[in-house]
Amino acid sequence: MTAESSPSRPGAEHWVPGSASVEELRHAAEACRGCELWQDATQVVFSEGAQGARLMLVGEQPGDREDLSGEPFVGPAGRMLDTALDDAGIARETTYLTNAVKHFRFERRGPRRIHEKPGVAHVNACRPWLDAEVAAVHPAVVVALGATAARAVLGRPVTIGEVRGEPLDAPDWRGVSIVVTVHPSSLLRIRDDADRHAALRAFVADLRAAADLAGVR
Ligand code: URA
Ligand code: SF4
């Protein structure tokens, strides 16, 4: 691996401005070269939502649709998330939505681009953006959607089943509670209707718990 393509390159610190607004961060992230993922992606996908949101939702990384549009959670996983937020009585526009990793990692198979999970090195490289977002937004509660997001916000690997739904202290963000739950795309992979509905109900219950904790429901 060359130095240029190694995910252990410097990380995003160099590109993250100090005490910046969300708008400033969004703009600065376009120039980020903190890991190699920017090279093959169409654009950075930063976040959606307002500074001052009480509830921050963190996904894994942009998918194919997000990479093309520049907006988080606009593809199939985003539609599943919308359904769950609706069921939980949370208006999407009151939340701040972002991802652990801001560029799409994929593998080319012919004309198709197949999602590839970001590595720990990508999560670590991109983490300064998340720190800066938390500092700018000041959420009461950060919801980690799935294992990659949980690793990013907690700074350690966890098993979703063991920690889901319970408020956890954020190791690095004072006054912020973390709620870990599943990633919405995990629901899309469940073929059996009854199982998928049960999984959706459990996801909605976690989102409700997070919203109640944040005082936004
Ligand atoms: N999955 C994610 O984790 N984030 C997105 O923005 C889209 C799909
Ligand atoms: Fe920078 Fe994150 Fe993109 Fe890597 S994935 S280039 S660290 S914004």
Side-chain angles (χ1 to χ4, degrees):
M1 209 179 259
T2 64
E4 181 65 17
S5 67
S6 164
S8 59
R9 272 171 17 114
E13 292 90 346
H14 177 73
W15 289 271
V16 180
S19 56
S21 68
V22 168
E23 263 327 295
E24 287 164 338
L25 294 174
R26 219 168 253 153
H27 180 68
E30 290 169 13
C32 186
R33 305 291 182 255
C35 73
E36 84 286 6
L37 293 183
W38 66 274
Q39 292 180 78
D40 294 328
T42 308
Q43 59 190 320
V44 70
V45 177
F46 199 71
S47 68
E48 170 191 303
Q51 201 151 330
R54 304 269 301 153
L55 192 60
M56 178 184 284
L57 306 179
V58 181
E60 183 198 67
Q61 65 170 350
D64 183 74
R65 292 278 305 278
E66 290 79 15
D67 171 79
L68 296 173
S69 74
E71 297 295 329
F73 285 108
V74 294
R79 278 197 296 281
M80 180 57 85
L81 178 62
D82 286 346
T83 300
L85 287 172
D86 249 17
D87 290 1
I90 302 165
R92 173 165 164 156
E93 59 277 11
T94 65
T95 69
Y96 182 89
L97 266 175
T98 191
N99 282 301
V101 172
K102 277 29 177 193
H103 278 102
F104 179 34
R105 186 184 196 204
F106 60 92
E107 206 184 299
R108 259 183 221 289
R109 288 212 206 120
R112 304 216 308 143
R113 303 191 303 170
I114 310 296
H115 163 277
E116 199 183 342
K117 219 166 91 87
V120 174
H122 301 116
V123 171
N124 292 342
C126 217
R127 164 72 196 237
W129 290 114
L130 209 50
D131 286 331
E133 289 172 280
V134 169
V137 175
H138 276 306
V141 177
V142 173
V143 179
L145 302 169
T148 299
R151 177 168 203 129
V153 303
L154 293 170
R156 63 187 166 94
V158 291
T159 306
I160 304 291
E162 284 169 9
V163 295
R164 71 177 296 173
E166 295 299 322
L168 306 169
D169 287 336
D172 300 324
W173 305 324
R174 212 137 54 90
V176 176
S177 297
I178 310 282
V179 173
V180 175
T181 186
V182 295
H183 192 282
S185 68
S186 68
L187 307 185
L188 296 170
R189 291 193 292 268
I190 304 175
R191 292 273 76 103
D192 180 80
D193 282 352
D195 289 350
R196 195 174 55 258
H197 285 129
L200 175 60
R201 280 195 299 277
F203 181 38
V204 169
D206 291 344
L207 291 175
R208 273 201 192 113
D212 288 343
L213 195 62
V216 296
R217 222 167 57 90

